[in-house]
Amino acid sequence: MSILGLKKKQPKTFKVKVITMDAEMEFSCEVKWKGKDLFDLVCRTVGLRETWFFGLRYTVKDTYAWLKPEKRVLDQEVPKDSPITFHFLAKFFPEKVEEELVQEITQHLFFLQVKKQILDEEIFCSPEASVLLASYAVQAKYGDYDPNFHKPGFLAQDELLPKRVLMQYQMTPDMWEEKITAWYAEHRGIARDEAEMDYLKIAQDLEMYGVSYFSITQNKRDTDLQLGVDAQGLHIYSPNSKLNPNKSFPWSGIRNISYSEKEVTTFTIKPLDKKKDVFKFYSSQLRVNKLVCRNCQIQALICVSSHYLPRPSLNCLPIQILQLCIGNHDLFMRRRKVDSIEVQQMKAQAKEEKARKKVERQILAREKQMREEAERAKEEMERRLFQLQDEARLANEALIRSEETADLLAEKAQIAEEEAKLLAHKAAEAEQERQRLEVTALKTKEEKRLMEQKMREAEQLAVKLVEQSERRSKEADHLKQDLTEAKDAERRAKQKLLEITKTTYPIIAAYSPPPPPPEGGDLAVESGSMQIDFKDSDMKRLSMEIERERLEYMEKSKHLQDQLKELKSEIESLKLEEQQQQAAVYSLRNDARGYPMEPPYMSHSNRNSAYMAQMAFFEEV
């Protein structure tokens, strides 16, 4: 067979891109493949066995549609792009996630989808629940909280809260992160799959969890309502509220649902209790009716009592509502039956896997604890090592200092020994000096006694001289007075003589006889001059005596002052010599005893005061 023939026999293919919640995959599909073939390929690639929850959704003309498993892919109204894009999403939701979700991959895909729906505000969540769910999402992503690793700001790039919650409160991103981190720190020790399961267990209690909404009217006058389909049943909501239904029809309370296509699409819900009213609603939207065959009327019957579901041709049903009703009802009935062998095997394997992972986590936790203890022990040993090294260094430094101190003390001891010898020698010299000074002191005492005797004699002499001086002074005063009187008498005598001479000389010249002979006259004149000369000689002699006595007094006073000065200088020299001797003795004693030098106290202060009084007396004299 030629190569050209082989090429002609190769099947035609088309490209498909499948986007899951955490990955993107591309496949090459054959033209004849049905939706189930592509869906099974995706499940095998992902490793998913709980396939009844999921489906492939595509977008056509701004509306969503689910890929039909029993119809070829290219025969459906899929986009004509290449590759054709499908989203692998959960189509039906479990009633209790902890009991129904067996595989870990199933839990993970549900966790990612529900988390995205909450963040996109497709599921309403209160701010408190949003913060708690965000903390479980952080635990699933980052593991246990470590303050040394998870510094403030580590959640800045993560989208964890709905924008509605962020806008509802005037809080900064750092404040939200602080609140989330406070909850996150309390989830320590929870594994990733456990954190995701805890997230789903909280989310399944939200009012809008797992509900698919459709716009309907209750009558032909277009009274707008909302139809909700979930795992519990059918719910009717007012157009402005998707949280609290006005009316609910649980699957266990529905007898059948009929559908007819005339002018508008009509759904009739018949309760199991025949006493209750039948509920009808209409849908005229193209996104519901465009897939409906216009040439037939079909009634879809869901019998809860017999669990019988006739399957009409999918080409003729309003797929959006009817498929959800059929699928959710099937799952509702399946949960109330005994699990199939496949599900039992899956649960047993999942249980074994959980037990194995639990053991592994316990072993890992023990190893982690042991590692932490080993790290703490290592840190403690390192700290102890550093402490011992510091102690050794300090001890070495102390040893070096002690050696230096020992050497210094040895030098000081040697110096002290030499100083002791020197002090002993000085003490011997001081003792000799003390003995010499004692002898000198004895001599000084004797000299002081002699000096005191001389001073007493000098005092007596000074007293005598003072008395003699006073006596001479009195005599001089008398002599001065006598001299003054004598001068006055001489002056008066001279005056009287002149007067007498003036009065008697003319008379004598008139009546006198002829002049006497010269001898007689000369004799009279000579006698008068002798009398005058006699008085002058007495005065001169008296003056000379007074002057001579004054000179003698001055010489004696000068001689006495010289003696006093010599005596004062001798006393001062003796005092200075005695102070020097006492200071030398005191210094030698202090050197011998090791005391610092201080000025000695004078023991002869009383004698010094007496000497000073005597000197003051002599200076006054």
Side-chain angles (χ1 to χ4, degrees), residues 294-326:
R294 302 293 181 182
N295 300 320
C296 64
Q297 262 187 2
I298 296 178
Q299 183 179 21
L301 182 63
I302 302 177
C303 297
V304 175
S305 58
S306 60
H307 307 296
Y308 170 71
L309 179 62
R311 303 285 181 175
S313 173
L314 294 176
N315 293 333
C316 305
L317 295 178
I319 304 302
Q320 295 287 3
I321 297 176
L322 195 57
Q323 275 191 344
L324 288 174
C325 291
I326 294 171

PDB file of all heavy atoms in Angstrom, residues 294-326:
ATOM      1  N   ARG A 294     -39.416  22.881  16.914  1.00  0.00           N
ATOM      2  CA  ARG A 294     -40.680  23.591  16.791  1.00  0.00           C
ATOM      3  C   ARG A 294     -41.823  22.684  16.310  1.00  0.00           C
ATOM      4  O   ARG A 294     -42.971  23.122  16.259  1.00  0.00           O
ATOM      5  CB  ARG A 294     -40.515  24.746  15.796  1.00  0.00           C
ATOM      6  CG  ARG A 294     -39.435  25.736  16.184  1.00  0.00           C
ATOM      7  CD  ARG A 294     -39.801  26.495  17.449  1.00  0.00           C
ATOM      8  NE  ARG A 294     -38.758  27.458  17.801  1.00  0.00           N
ATOM      9  CZ  ARG A 294     -38.796  28.216  18.876  1.00  0.00           C
ATOM     10  NH1 ARG A 294     -39.803  28.094  19.713  1.00  0.00           N
ATOM     11  NH2 ARG A 294     -37.820  29.060  19.125  1.00  0.00           N
ATOM     12  N   ASN A 295     -41.555  21.480  15.934  1.00  0.00           N
ATOM     13  CA  ASN A 295     -42.581  20.635  15.295  1.00  0.00           C
ATOM     14  C   ASN A 295     -43.180  19.602  16.235  1.00  0.00           C
ATOM     15  O   ASN A 295     -43.938  18.735  15.798  1.00  0.00           O
ATOM     16  CB  ASN A 295     -42.008  19.911  14.075  1.00  0.00           C
ATOM     17  CG  ASN A 295     -41.509  20.898  13.021  1.00  0.00           C
ATOM     18  OD1 ASN A 295     -42.161  21.908  12.808  1.00  0.00           O
ATOM     19  ND2 ASN A 295     -40.399  20.572  12.403  1.00  0.00           N
ATOM     20  N   CYS A 296     -42.819  19.638  17.485  1.00  0.00           N
ATOM     21  CA  CYS A 296     -43.326  18.587  18.377  1.00  0.00           C
ATOM     22  C   CYS A 296     -43.603  19.141  19.751  1.00  0.00           C
ATOM     23  O   CYS A 296     -43.105  20.193  20.121  1.00  0.00           O
ATOM     24  CB  CYS A 296     -42.365  17.419  18.440  1.00  0.00           C
ATOM     25  SG  CYS A 296     -40.791  17.869  19.169  1.00  0.00           S
ATOM     26  N   GLN A 297     -44.396  18.423  20.488  1.00  0.00           N
ATOM     27  CA  GLN A 297     -44.673  18.707  21.891  1.00  0.00           C
ATOM     28  C   GLN A 297     -44.212  17.513  22.697  1.00  0.00           C
ATOM     29  O   GLN A 297     -44.566  16.381  22.352  1.00  0.00           O
ATOM     30  CB  GLN A 297     -46.177  18.886  22.115  1.00  0.00           C
ATOM     31  CG  GLN A 297     -46.598  20.326  22.139  1.00  0.00           C
ATOM     32  CD  GLN A 297     -48.045  20.479  22.537  1.00  0.00           C
ATOM     33  OE1 GLN A 297     -48.723  19.488  22.839  1.00  0.00           O
ATOM     34  NE2 GLN A 297     -48.508  21.705  22.547  1.00  0.00           N
ATOM     35  N   ILE A 298     -43.448  17.783  23.726  1.00  0.00           N
ATOM     36  CA  ILE A 298     -42.877  16.675  24.490  1.00  0.00           C
ATOM     37  C   ILE A 298     -43.139  16.940  25.955  1.00  0.00           C
ATOM     38  O   ILE A 298     -43.028  18.077  26.428  1.00  0.00           O
ATOM     39  CB  ILE A 298     -41.367  16.544  24.223  1.00  0.00           C
ATOM     40  CG1 ILE A 298     -41.180  16.187  22.758  1.00  0.00           C
ATOM     41  CG2 ILE A 298     -40.738  15.497  25.110  1.00  0.00           C
ATOM     42  CD1 ILE A 298     -39.775  16.072  22.325  1.00  0.00           C
ATOM     43  N   GLN A 299     -43.437  15.905  26.621  1.00  0.00           N
ATOM     44  CA  GLN A 299     -43.658  16.007  28.065  1.00  0.00           C
ATOM     45  C   GLN A 299     -42.563  15.206  28.744  1.00  0.00           C
ATOM     46  O   GLN A 299     -42.388  14.026  28.458  1.00  0.00           O
ATOM     47  CB  GLN A 299     -45.010  15.440  28.455  1.00  0.00           C
ATOM     48  CG  GLN A 299     -45.315  15.601  29.933  1.00  0.00           C
ATOM     49  CD  GLN A 299     -46.689  15.046  30.266  1.00  0.00           C
ATOM     50  OE1 GLN A 299     -47.213  14.227  29.505  1.00  0.00           O
ATOM     51  NE2 GLN A 299     -47.244  15.483  31.371  1.00  0.00           N
ATOM     52  N   ALA A 300     -41.790  15.859  29.586  1.00  0.00           N
ATOM     53  CA  ALA A 300     -40.745  15.186  30.342  1.00  0.00           C
ATOM     54  C   ALA A 300     -41.309  14.829  31.697  1.00  0.00           C
ATOM     55  O   ALA A 300     -41.803  15.685  32.422  1.00  0.00           O
ATOM     56  CB  ALA A 300     -39.531  16.095  30.523  1.00  0.00           C
ATOM     57  N   LEU A 301     -41.261  13.573  32.019  1.00  0.00           N
ATOM     58  CA  LEU A 301     -41.869  13.092  33.253  1.00  0.00           C
ATOM     59  C   LEU A 301     -40.785  12.642  34.210  1.00  0.00           C
ATOM     60  O   LEU A 301     -39.962  11.805  33.858  1.00  0.00           O
ATOM     61  CB  LEU A 301     -42.812  11.922  32.955  1.00  0.00           C
ATOM     62  CG  LEU A 301     -43.554  11.335  34.153  1.00  0.00           C
ATOM     63  CD1 LEU A 301     -44.478  12.395  34.768  1.00  0.00           C
ATOM     64  CD2 LEU A 301     -44.340  10.107  33.731  1.00  0.00           C
ATOM     65  N   ILE A 302     -40.787  13.221  35.380  1.00  0.00           N
ATOM     66  CA  ILE A 302     -39.863  12.798  36.429  1.00  0.00           C
ATOM     67  C   ILE A 302     -40.706  12.202  37.532  1.00  0.00           C
ATOM     68  O   ILE A 302     -41.421  12.919  38.231  1.00  0.00           O
ATOM     69  CB  ILE A 302     -39.032  13.974  36.960  1.00  0.00           C
ATOM     70  CG1 ILE A 302     -38.247  14.608  35.814  1.00  0.00           C
ATOM     71  CG2 ILE A 302     -38.108  13.521  38.065  1.00  0.00           C
ATOM     72  CD1 ILE A 302     -37.459  15.814  36.205  1.00  0.00           C
ATOM     73  N   CYS A 303     -40.712  10.894  37.663  1.00  0.00           N
ATOM     74  CA  CYS A 303     -41.536  10.202  38.657  1.00  0.00           C
ATOM     75  C   CYS A 303     -40.699   9.892  39.863  1.00  0.00           C
ATOM     76  O   CYS A 303     -39.797   9.054  39.789  1.00  0.00           O
ATOM     77  CB  CYS A 303     -42.128   8.925  38.076  1.00  0.00           C
ATOM     78  SG  CYS A 303     -43.228   9.261  36.701  1.00  0.00           S
ATOM     79  N   VAL A 304     -40.950  10.572  40.939  1.00  0.00           N
ATOM     80  CA  VAL A 304     -40.153  10.366  42.148  1.00  0.00           C
ATOM     81  C   VAL A 304     -40.496   9.033  42.779  1.00  0.00           C
ATOM     82  O   VAL A 304     -39.636   8.334  43.299  1.00  0.00           O
ATOM     83  CB  VAL A 304     -40.389  11.526  43.134  1.00  0.00           C
ATOM     84  CG1 VAL A 304     -39.663  11.279  44.432  1.00  0.00           C
ATOM     85  CG2 VAL A 304     -39.980  12.843  42.514  1.00  0.00           C
ATOM     86  N   SER A 305     -41.753   8.658  42.714  1.00  0.00           N
ATOM     87  CA  SER A 305     -42.158   7.432  43.396  1.00  0.00           C
ATOM     88  C   SER A 305     -41.547   6.201  42.749  1.00  0.00           C
ATOM     89  O   SER A 305     -41.068   5.292  43.417  1.00  0.00           O
ATOM     90  CB  SER A 305     -43.683   7.332  43.399  1.00  0.00           C
ATOM     91  OG  SER A 305     -44.175   7.361  42.065  1.00  0.00           O
ATOM     92  N   SER A 306     -41.567   6.154  41.387  1.00  0.00           N
ATOM     93  CA  SER A 306     -41.016   4.977  40.696  1.00  0.00           C
ATOM     94  C   SER A 306     -39.597   5.195  40.211  1.00  0.00           C
ATOM     95  O   SER A 306     -38.980   4.288  39.664  1.00  0.00           O
ATOM     96  CB  SER A 306     -41.899   4.646  39.481  1.00  0.00           C
ATOM     97  OG  SER A 306     -41.923   5.749  38.576  1.00  0.00           O
ATOM     98  N   HIS A 307     -39.093   6.457  40.381  1.00  0.00           N
ATOM     99  CA  HIS A 307     -37.739   6.813  39.950  1.00  0.00           C
ATOM    100  C   HIS A 307     -37.544   6.506  38.478  1.00  0.00           C
ATOM    101  O   HIS A 307     -36.523   5.995  38.049  1.00  0.00           O
ATOM    102  CB  HIS A 307     -36.684   6.067  40.780  1.00  0.00           C
ATOM    103  CG  HIS A 307     -36.878   6.242  42.252  1.00  0.00           C
ATOM    104  ND1 HIS A 307     -36.779   7.448  42.867  1.00  0.00           N
ATOM    105  CD2 HIS A 307     -37.219   5.347  43.212  1.00  0.00           C
ATOM    106  CE1 HIS A 307     -37.017   7.308  44.172  1.00  0.00           C
ATOM    107  NE2 HIS A 307     -37.308   6.029  44.398  1.00  0.00           N
ATOM    108  N   TYR A 308     -38.564   6.774  37.705  1.00  0.00           N
ATOM    109  CA  TYR A 308     -38.509   6.480  36.272  1.00  0.00           C
ATOM    110  C   TYR A 308     -38.383   7.799  35.527  1.00  0.00           C
ATOM    111  O   TYR A 308     -39.087   8.775  35.804  1.00  0.00           O
ATOM    112  CB  TYR A 308     -39.787   5.754  35.824  1.00  0.00           C
ATOM    113  CG  TYR A 308     -39.907   5.623  34.333  1.00  0.00           C
ATOM    114  CD1 TYR A 308     -39.080   4.749  33.630  1.00  0.00           C
ATOM    115  CD2 TYR A 308     -40.857   6.367  33.628  1.00  0.00           C
ATOM    116  CE1 TYR A 308     -39.207   4.631  32.265  1.00  0.00           C
ATOM    117  CE2 TYR A 308     -40.983   6.250  32.253  1.00  0.00           C
ATOM    118  CZ  TYR A 308     -40.143   5.384  31.576  1.00  0.00           C
ATOM    119  OH  TYR A 308     -40.259   5.264  30.207  1.00  0.00           O
ATOM    120  N   LEU A 309     -37.480   7.864  34.583  1.00  0.00           N
ATOM    121  CA  LEU A 309     -37.262   9.085  33.810  1.00  0.00           C
ATOM    122  C   LEU A 309     -37.181   8.738  32.345  1.00  0.00           C
ATOM    123  O   LEU A 309     -36.190   8.196  31.871  1.00  0.00           O
ATOM    124  CB  LEU A 309     -35.955   9.764  34.231  1.00  0.00           C
ATOM    125  CG  LEU A 309     -35.603  11.040  33.461  1.00  0.00           C
ATOM    126  CD1 LEU A 309     -36.666  12.101  33.687  1.00  0.00           C
ATOM    127  CD2 LEU A 309     -34.246  11.534  33.866  1.00  0.00           C
ATOM    128  N   PRO A 310     -38.263   8.936  31.595  1.00  0.00           N
ATOM    129  CA  PRO A 310     -38.188   8.736  30.153  1.00  0.00           C
ATOM    130  C   PRO A 310     -37.320   9.820  29.520  1.00  0.00           C
ATOM    131  O   PRO A 310     -37.439  10.999  29.859  1.00  0.00           O
ATOM    132  CB  PRO A 310     -39.642   8.862  29.704  1.00  0.00           C
ATOM    133  CG  PRO A 310     -40.315   9.658  30.738  1.00  0.00           C
ATOM    134  CD  PRO A 310     -39.597   9.395  32.021  1.00  0.00           C
ATOM    135  N   ARG A 311     -36.402   9.426  28.681  1.00  0.00           N
ATOM    136  CA  ARG A 311     -35.429  10.339  28.077  1.00  0.00           C
ATOM    137  C   ARG A 311     -35.869  10.700  26.662  1.00  0.00           C
ATOM    138  O   ARG A 311     -35.730   9.910  25.738  1.00  0.00           O
ATOM    139  CB  ARG A 311     -34.048   9.684  28.004  1.00  0.00           C
ATOM    140  CG  ARG A 311     -33.534   9.231  29.358  1.00  0.00           C
ATOM    141  CD  ARG A 311     -33.054  10.383  30.200  1.00  0.00           C
ATOM    142  NE  ARG A 311     -32.557   9.922  31.476  1.00  0.00           N
ATOM    143  CZ  ARG A 311     -31.988  10.724  32.353  1.00  0.00           C
ATOM    144  NH1 ARG A 311     -31.853  11.989  32.099  1.00  0.00           N
ATOM    145  NH2 ARG A 311     -31.577  10.231  33.502  1.00  0.00           N
ATOM    146  N   PRO A 312     -36.433  11.832  26.408  1.00  0.00           N
ATOM    147  CA  PRO A 312     -36.762  12.225  25.051  1.00  0.00           C
ATOM    148  C   PRO A 312     -35.523  12.627  24.286  1.00  0.00           C
ATOM    149  O   PRO A 312     -34.439  12.734  24.847  1.00  0.00           O
ATOM    150  CB  PRO A 312     -37.700  13.407  25.254  1.00  0.00           C
ATOM    151  CG  PRO A 312     -37.303  13.990  26.539  1.00  0.00           C
ATOM    152  CD  PRO A 312     -36.831  12.854  27.391  1.00  0.00           C
ATOM    153  N   SER A 313     -35.703  12.835  23.050  1.00  0.00           N
ATOM    154  CA  SER A 313     -34.584  13.252  22.211  1.00  0.00           C
ATOM    155  C   SER A 313     -34.074  14.603  22.692  1.00  0.00           C
ATOM    156  O   SER A 313     -34.831  15.546  22.905  1.00  0.00           O
ATOM    157  CB  SER A 313     -35.035  13.353  20.749  1.00  0.00           C
ATOM    158  OG  SER A 313     -34.011  13.909  19.982  1.00  0.00           O
ATOM    159  N   LEU A 314     -32.755  14.683  22.840  1.00  0.00           N
ATOM    160  CA  LEU A 314     -32.180  15.906  23.345  1.00  0.00           C
ATOM    161  C   LEU A 314     -32.274  17.048  22.357  1.00  0.00           C
ATOM    162  O   LEU A 314     -32.060  18.206  22.716  1.00  0.00           O
ATOM    163  CB  LEU A 314     -30.709  15.667  23.734  1.00  0.00           C
ATOM    164  CG  LEU A 314     -30.510  14.715  24.914  1.00  0.00           C
ATOM    165  CD1 LEU A 314     -29.030  14.487  25.121  1.00  0.00           C
ATOM    166  CD2 LEU A 314     -31.139  15.273  26.167  1.00  0.00           C
ATOM    167  N   ASN A 315     -32.578  16.709  21.124  1.00  0.00           N
ATOM    168  CA  ASN A 315     -32.703  17.780  20.145  1.00  0.00           C
ATOM    169  C   ASN A 315     -33.965  18.601  20.344  1.00  0.00           C
ATOM    170  O   ASN A 315     -34.131  19.648  19.746  1.00  0.00           O
ATOM    171  CB  ASN A 315     -32.720  17.194  18.734  1.00  0.00           C
ATOM    172  CG  ASN A 315     -31.381  16.573  18.387  1.00  0.00           C
ATOM    173  OD1 ASN A 315     -30.375  16.993  18.928  1.00  0.00           O
ATOM    174  ND2 ASN A 315     -31.387  15.586  17.510  1.00  0.00           N
ATOM    175  N   CYS A 316     -34.892  18.101  21.155  1.00  0.00           N
ATOM    176  CA  CYS A 316     -36.193  18.743  21.251  1.00  0.00           C
ATOM    177  C   CYS A 316     -36.464  19.359  22.603  1.00  0.00           C
ATOM    178  O   CYS A 316     -37.591  19.787  22.867  1.00  0.00           O
ATOM    179  CB  CYS A 316     -37.287  17.705  20.947  1.00  0.00           C
ATOM    180  SG  CYS A 316     -37.081  16.885  19.367  1.00  0.00           S
ATOM    181  N   LEU A 317     -35.544  19.376  23.539  1.00  0.00           N
ATOM    182  CA  LEU A 317     -35.805  19.857  24.896  1.00  0.00           C
ATOM    183  C   LEU A 317     -35.135  21.196  25.146  1.00  0.00           C
ATOM    184  O   LEU A 317     -34.071  21.499  24.588  1.00  0.00           O
ATOM    185  CB  LEU A 317     -35.287  18.840  25.907  1.00  0.00           C
ATOM    186  CG  LEU A 317     -35.979  17.482  25.912  1.00  0.00           C
ATOM    187  CD1 LEU A 317     -35.318  16.594  26.934  1.00  0.00           C
ATOM    188  CD2 LEU A 317     -37.459  17.610  26.201  1.00  0.00           C
ATOM    189  N   PRO A 318     -35.730  22.027  26.028  1.00  0.00           N
ATOM    190  CA  PRO A 318     -35.037  23.241  26.495  1.00  0.00           C
ATOM    191  C   PRO A 318     -33.877  22.826  27.409  1.00  0.00           C
ATOM    192  O   PRO A 318     -34.060  22.618  28.616  1.00  0.00           O
ATOM    193  CB  PRO A 318     -36.123  23.995  27.253  1.00  0.00           C
ATOM    194  CG  PRO A 318     -37.093  22.960  27.654  1.00  0.00           C
ATOM    195  CD  PRO A 318     -37.064  21.885  26.618  1.00  0.00           C
ATOM    196  N   ILE A 319     -32.748  22.692  26.810  1.00  0.00           N
ATOM    197  CA  ILE A 319     -31.613  22.020  27.475  1.00  0.00           C
ATOM    198  C   ILE A 319     -31.206  22.704  28.763  1.00  0.00           C
ATOM    199  O   ILE A 319     -30.877  22.041  29.750  1.00  0.00           O
ATOM    200  CB  ILE A 319     -30.425  21.943  26.503  1.00  0.00           C
ATOM    201  CG1 ILE A 319     -30.852  21.242  25.221  1.00  0.00           C
ATOM    202  CG2 ILE A 319     -29.247  21.217  27.141  1.00  0.00           C
ATOM    203  CD1 ILE A 319     -31.381  19.849  25.441  1.00  0.00           C
ATOM    204  N   GLN A 320     -31.207  23.993  28.797  1.00  0.00           N
ATOM    205  CA  GLN A 320     -30.671  24.705  29.960  1.00  0.00           C
ATOM    206  C   GLN A 320     -31.393  24.316  31.243  1.00  0.00           C
ATOM    207  O   GLN A 320     -30.758  24.103  32.263  1.00  0.00           O
ATOM    208  CB  GLN A 320     -30.798  26.217  29.757  1.00  0.00           C
ATOM    209  CG  GLN A 320     -29.959  26.764  28.620  1.00  0.00           C
ATOM    210  CD  GLN A 320     -28.487  26.801  28.970  1.00  0.00           C
ATOM    211  OE1 GLN A 320     -28.083  26.375  30.040  1.00  0.00           O
ATOM    212  NE2 GLN A 320     -27.680  27.300  28.060  1.00  0.00           N
ATOM    213  N   ILE A 321     -32.721  24.227  31.188  1.00  0.00           N
ATOM    214  CA  ILE A 321     -33.481  23.916  32.400  1.00  0.00           C
ATOM    215  C   ILE A 321     -33.635  22.415  32.565  1.00  0.00           C
ATOM    216  O   ILE A 321     -33.381  21.871  33.650  1.00  0.00           O
ATOM    217  CB  ILE A 321     -34.866  24.586  32.347  1.00  0.00           C
ATOM    218  CG1 ILE A 321     -34.705  26.116  32.313  1.00  0.00           C
ATOM    219  CG2 ILE A 321     -35.723  24.176  33.531  1.00  0.00           C
ATOM    220  CD1 ILE A 321     -36.003  26.864  32.173  1.00  0.00           C
ATOM    221  N   LEU A 322     -34.011  21.748  31.484  1.00  0.00           N
ATOM    222  CA  LEU A 322     -34.372  20.330  31.594  1.00  0.00           C
ATOM    223  C   LEU A 322     -33.172  19.465  31.949  1.00  0.00           C
ATOM    224  O   LEU A 322     -33.280  18.556  32.766  1.00  0.00           O
ATOM    225  CB  LEU A 322     -35.011  19.852  30.294  1.00  0.00           C
ATOM    226  CG  LEU A 322     -35.753  18.517  30.369  1.00  0.00           C
ATOM    227  CD1 LEU A 322     -36.834  18.564  31.431  1.00  0.00           C
ATOM    228  CD2 LEU A 322     -36.348  18.156  29.009  1.00  0.00           C
ATOM    229  N   GLN A 323     -32.025  19.750  31.362  1.00  0.00           N
ATOM    230  CA  GLN A 323     -30.844  18.946  31.674  1.00  0.00           C
ATOM    231  C   GLN A 323     -30.464  19.078  33.153  1.00  0.00           C
ATOM    232  O   GLN A 323     -30.086  18.106  33.792  1.00  0.00           O
ATOM    233  CB  GLN A 323     -29.663  19.364  30.790  1.00  0.00           C
ATOM    234  CG  GLN A 323     -29.649  18.691  29.429  1.00  0.00           C
ATOM    235  CD  GLN A 323     -28.342  18.935  28.712  1.00  0.00           C
ATOM    236  OE1 GLN A 323     -27.589  19.822  29.074  1.00  0.00           O
ATOM    237  NE2 GLN A 323     -28.073  18.132  27.698  1.00  0.00           N
ATOM    238  N   LEU A 324     -30.543  20.306  33.653  1.00  0.00           N
ATOM    239  CA  LEU A 324     -30.229  20.496  35.068  1.00  0.00           C
ATOM    240  C   LEU A 324     -31.221  19.778  35.962  1.00  0.00           C
ATOM    241  O   LEU A 324     -30.857  19.189  36.985  1.00  0.00           O
ATOM    242  CB  LEU A 324     -30.183  21.986  35.401  1.00  0.00           C
ATOM    243  CG  LEU A 324     -28.983  22.765  34.855  1.00  0.00           C
ATOM    244  CD1 LEU A 324     -29.144  24.248  35.138  1.00  0.00           C
ATOM    245  CD2 LEU A 324     -27.686  22.256  35.465  1.00  0.00           C
ATOM    246  N   CYS A 325     -32.482  19.824  35.590  1.00  0.00           N
ATOM    247  CA  CYS A 325     -33.487  19.126  36.395  1.00  0.00           C
ATOM    248  C   CYS A 325     -33.230  17.622  36.385  1.00  0.00           C
ATOM    249  O   CYS A 325     -33.263  16.957  37.438  1.00  0.00           O
ATOM    250  CB  CYS A 325     -34.885  19.421  35.851  1.00  0.00           C
ATOM    251  SG  CYS A 325     -35.423  21.134  36.113  1.00  0.00           S
ATOM    252  N   ILE A 326     -32.979  17.056  35.187  1.00  0.00           N
ATOM    253  CA  ILE A 326     -32.748  15.613  35.077  1.00  0.00           C
ATOM    254  C   ILE A 326     -31.486  15.221  35.834  1.00  0.00           C
ATOM    255  O   ILE A 326     -31.474  14.267  36.611  1.00  0.00           O
ATOM    256  CB  ILE A 326     -32.660  15.199  33.595  1.00  0.00           C
ATOM    257  CG1 ILE A 326     -34.018  15.400  32.924  1.00  0.00           C
ATOM    258  CG2 ILE A 326     -32.218  13.758  33.460  1.00  0.00           C
ATOM    259  CD1 ILE A 326     -33.982  15.231  31.420  1.00  0.00           C
TER     260      ILE A 326
END
